[in-house]
Amino acid sequence: MNIILHLKVVGGLLVTLALANTQFGRYFKWKNELAQVSLLTRQIFQVHGFFIALIVGMMGVCSLFYTDALLASGALSRIVLAGLVVFWISRLAIQFFVYDPAIWRGRRFYTVMHVVFSILWIYVVLTYSAALHIAWKGTISSTGPSAL
């Protein structure tokens, strides 16, 4: 599988995650939980949740439909990919160092989700890191990017 396909897979996964965000509130019963906080806190939570989903979706769209531009050897592609790597490394670190293991330990579904999302974040980081390496080195030939 080459880097173009990996970026498109990541793009599809991120778009799916952004769309799935529309159901998180219902699953996690956020309406009930957020009723207990101030109006300002509730609205900040909702706005931040919306913008996180929007950004993740836009990352996915860029990866799906603008793969060649992401891999181009130029300042814009490098800074965008570097930002994506930093963003997703941060998300991976949060998975292990911020979320309390008490959330998922002893709960089969949450444990499976912890493992699945850990693998997903690792895959996303590796894919964007490989793309950054290609964009940085300018290893795109006339026949396309080198394989991952």
Side-chain angles (χ1 to χ4, degrees):
M1 221 177 354
N2 69 25
I3 190 64
I4 291 174
L5 184 54
H6 283 289
L7 283 169
K8 290 184 181 295
V9 169
V10 164
L13 291 169
L14 294 180
V15 168
T16 301
L17 180 61
L19 293 172
N21 252 324
T22 64
Q23 301 304 309
F24 288 173
R26 186 174 302 134
Y27 179 81
F28 293 110
K29 299 178 178 87
W30 284 344
K31 187 174 183 178
N32 295 338
E33 295 213 17
L34 291 173
Q36 300 171 17
V37 301
S38 71
L39 176 61
L40 178 61
T41 300
R42 180 171 47 254
Q43 289 183 338
I44 289 171
F45 180 88
Q46 292 166 335
V47 168
H48 283 183
F50 169 79
F51 278 102
I52 289 169
L54 179 64
I55 291 297
V56 169
M58 290 168 62
M59 289 176 189
V61 168
C62 285
S63 299
L64 268 172
F65 301 109
Y66 299 96
T67 311
D68 290 338
L70 279 174
L71 293 170
S73 183
L76 183 59
S77 64
R78 289 180 196 142
I79 195 67
V80 168
L81 287 166
L84 291 170
V85 170
V86 168
F87 182 94
W88 290 108
I89 283 176
S90 299
R91 180 58 186 88
L92 177 61
I94 286 167
Q95 188 75 17
F96 294 106
F97 302 115
V98 175
Y99 285 122
D100 191 322
I103 294 170
W104 54 269
R105 278 199 184 129
R107 301 169 79 184
R108 178 170 283 149
F109 177 74
Y110 287 133
T111 299
V112 169
M113 289 297 97
H114 172 71
V115 171
V116 166
F117 279 102
S118 297
I119 292 168
L120 173 62
W121 307 144
I122 291 167
Y123 177 63
V124 171
V125 166
L126 290 175
T127 300
Y128 284 133
S129 295
L132 177 59
H133 179 75
I134 288 169
W136 200 271
K137 294 290 185 182
T139 55
I140 297 178
S141 67
S142 60
T143 58
S146 61
L148 176 62

